[in-house]
Amino acid sequence: EVSEISERSKQNVAHGLAWSFYVGYLKIVLPRVKKSMEEFSRANPNMLVCRETWKLHILVPLNCDIYDDLEKADSNIQYLTDLAETTVTRAGIKKRVYKHSLYAIRDEDNKLWHCAVEFATPLQSLYAMSQDECAAFSREDRLEQAKLFYRTLEEILKGSKECTGTYRLIAYEESGEAETHFLSREILWHLRQQRHEEYAVCEGNQLNNPATTLSSTELNLQISESDLPQPLRSDGF
């Protein structure tokens, strides 16, 4: 009965997607990110000048609108190359390959900033569910679950020692107006903040959040505790 209630209210959708994303992907690749970035930096010393940005930047659009080609989404984002591959035999797949793409982000002064960036792919599932009548998943459900996905993933990663300092979650909500370089501005703000954190820690200065970037506190205010996924059984099994 509890399981049926949870399924009807869709409480377990985002929770399950976040854990699957972590266990099946991030836990595998994130511990190797810094090594890959370091190898690339040795070969290209003038690109990755800020070590604080040697992370995987994970885009979390709350409308679940994911672009397969970042260059087409924003002309200020240019693909450079792929970082060193991680090869793992997993789930019956021999030598399964994981890799990250490195991009150059052009700012308003025509300066290039370099980083590894990709979307949180499980959001594609949320978007697809909202488009499929069989899922009975409304746009409101999708937005709520996207917020819960972000909060859950954030909590999981915070508790993961092997992933500490290897990622940057970028949650945002696009405005209704069409903005040509919205995505590049979001990424640039986070890159600048990380550079600020690396070079001005002792100054005690902080940057203000851009209007579109959402903090976990803001997301928390929009989802009640009763909406969080609950265990299906209370006996510990």
Side-chain angles (χ1 to χ4, degrees):
E1 183 178 351
V2 174
S3 179
E4 289 178 359
I5 293 173
S6 296
E7 289 302 319
R8 284 199 299 270
S9 62
K10 302 178 180 66
Q11 291 179 0
N12 292 328
V13 175
H15 188 256
L17 287 175
W19 271 104
S20 178
F21 189 43
Y22 169 70
V23 175
Y25 179 62
L26 296 181
K27 191 176 181 180
I28 299 171
V29 302
L30 286 182
R32 298 171 171 85
V33 165
K34 283 192 178 295
K35 182 179 178 181
S36 297
M37 300 289 275
E38 187 173 357
E39 291 175 356
F40 181 86
S41 181
R42 283 199 298 266
N44 304 271
N46 295 324
M47 288 190 179
L48 301 175
V49 294
C50 179
R51 294 183 68 90
E52 190 63 29
T53 63
W54 293 10
K55 302 172 182 176
L56 180 62
H57 296 76
I58 304 170
L59 302 174
V60 186
L62 297 182
N63 64 357
C64 300
D65 192 3
I66 289 179
Y67 301 94
D68 290 326
D69 193 332
L70 286 172
E71 292 176 297
K72 290 182 179 179
D74 191 323
S75 60
N76 279 347
I77 303 176
Q78 301 171 1
Y79 167 77
L80 288 180
T81 186
D82 292 328
L83 296 175
E85 298 176 348
T86 295
T87 304
V88 180
T89 295
R90 184 173 176 82
I93 302 174
K94 293 289 186 180
K95 299 180 180 180
R96 185 169 185 174
V97 175
Y98 299 88
K99 64 180 180 180
H100 309 293
S101 296
L102 194 69
Y103 288 88
I105 317 296
R106 189 178 303 277
D107 66 14
E108 59 277 5
D109 297 321
N110 219 31
K111 176 184 175 181
L112 295 179
W113 300 63
H114 303 91
C115 69
V117 59
E118 61 190 53
F119 282 99
T121 52
L123 294 180
Q124 287 183 315
S125 298
L126 288 179
Y127 187 85
M129 289 176 67
S130 68
Q131 302 297 308
D132 194 320
E133 293 181 0
C134 296
F137 202 75
S138 68
R139 290 185 178 181
E140 290 74 20
D141 290 330
R142 185 181 71 195
L143 177 60
E144 181 178 342
Q145 291 300 307
K147 293 174 182 176
L148 183 54
F149 170 84
Y150 171 78
R151 288 180 52 210
T152 305
L153 183 61
E154 184 181 45
E155 288 302 314
I156 294 171
L157 289 171
K158 281 182 178 178
S160 175
K161 292 182 180 179
E162 58 264 56
C163 294
T164 300
T166 62
Y167 67 91
R168 180 89 172 191
L169 295 180
I170 304 177
Y172 60 89
E173 191 166 12
E174 291 192 48
S175 62
E177 301 178 2
E179 297 183 49
T180 307
H181 301 302
F182 172 86
L183 192 55
S184 60
R185 284 201 300 271
E186 285 292 316
I187 298 171
L188 283 168
W189 184 87
H190 283 268
L191 293 177
R192 284 168 173 150
Q193 187 188 48
Q194 289 172 91
R195 174 167 290 189
H196 176 84
E197 291 168 355
E198 179 171 5
Y199 293 110
V201 172
C202 297
E203 296 178 7
N205 296 325
Q206 293 183 350
L207 299 179
N208 295 321
N209 283 340
T212 53
T213 299
L214 303 178
S215 66
S216 57
T217 302
E218 291 173 307
L219 294 179
N220 190 45
L221 294 175
Q222 300 176 56
I223 303 176
S224 66
E225 290 298 323
S226 61
D227 291 330
L228 294 176
Q230 303 295 323
L232 298 186
R233 296 176 63 176
S234 59
D235 53 7
F237 295 94

